[in-house]
Amino acid sequence: MIVCQCTGISDRDITAAIDWMRAADPETIITPGKIYHALGKRADCGGCMPLFLDTMRRCDKVGVAPPILRARTDSRKESPHEGRRQGHRISERRTAV
């Protein structure tokens, strides 16, 4: 499955890069940047990052996970807004008469 459309990286490429890095240095912390570098690619738009990270999470050999790979929390689902303060829209602001 293609994970990064911009650079043509597949889930197999990510797994192969992780396996290669783990064989070369069992103690290394594997990050998306290191995977891109190992594949000779550069991140472009970043739209693939959620799928890229999910693919990394599914790999057994990732080892020690940096904070970006730790399990996601659903704390944002509890909040009905996107973290903006109330009255952030101009139409919601009251004007003094």
Side-chain angles (χ1 to χ4, degrees):
M1 164 180 72
I2 295 292
V3 174
C4 180
Q5 188 74 24
C6 299
T7 59
I9 295 176
S10 70
D11 57 341
R12 291 180 185 169
D13 295 333
I14 293 171
T15 304
I18 291 171
D19 291 344
W20 176 77
M21 285 188 275
R22 188 57 62 215
D25 183 4
E27 300 299 318
T28 191
I29 294 176
I30 299 172
T31 63
K34 286 183 179 180
I35 292 175
Y36 273 104
H37 185 72
L39 295 172
K41 312 267 180 153
R42 299 181 112 197
D44 191 14
C45 71
C48 65
M49 205 47 61
L51 183 56
F52 200 102
L53 293 173
D54 286 342
T55 304
M56 288 179 69
R57 284 184 192 104
R58 285 193 305 266
C59 187
D60 299 345
K61 295 184 181 178
V62 170
V64 177
I68 197 168
L69 287 180
R70 294 190 185 133
R72 290 191 242 175
T73 60
D74 291 337
S75 62
R76 290 186 181 159
K77 287 185 179 179
E78 297 170 7
S79 179
H81 57 84
E82 299 171 336
R84 297 181 181 139
R85 65 184 186 343
Q86 282 190 319
H88 68 278
R89 294 189 174 128
I90 293 175
S91 61
E92 293 175 350
R93 293 183 189 159
R94 294 184 181 163
T95 57
V97 185

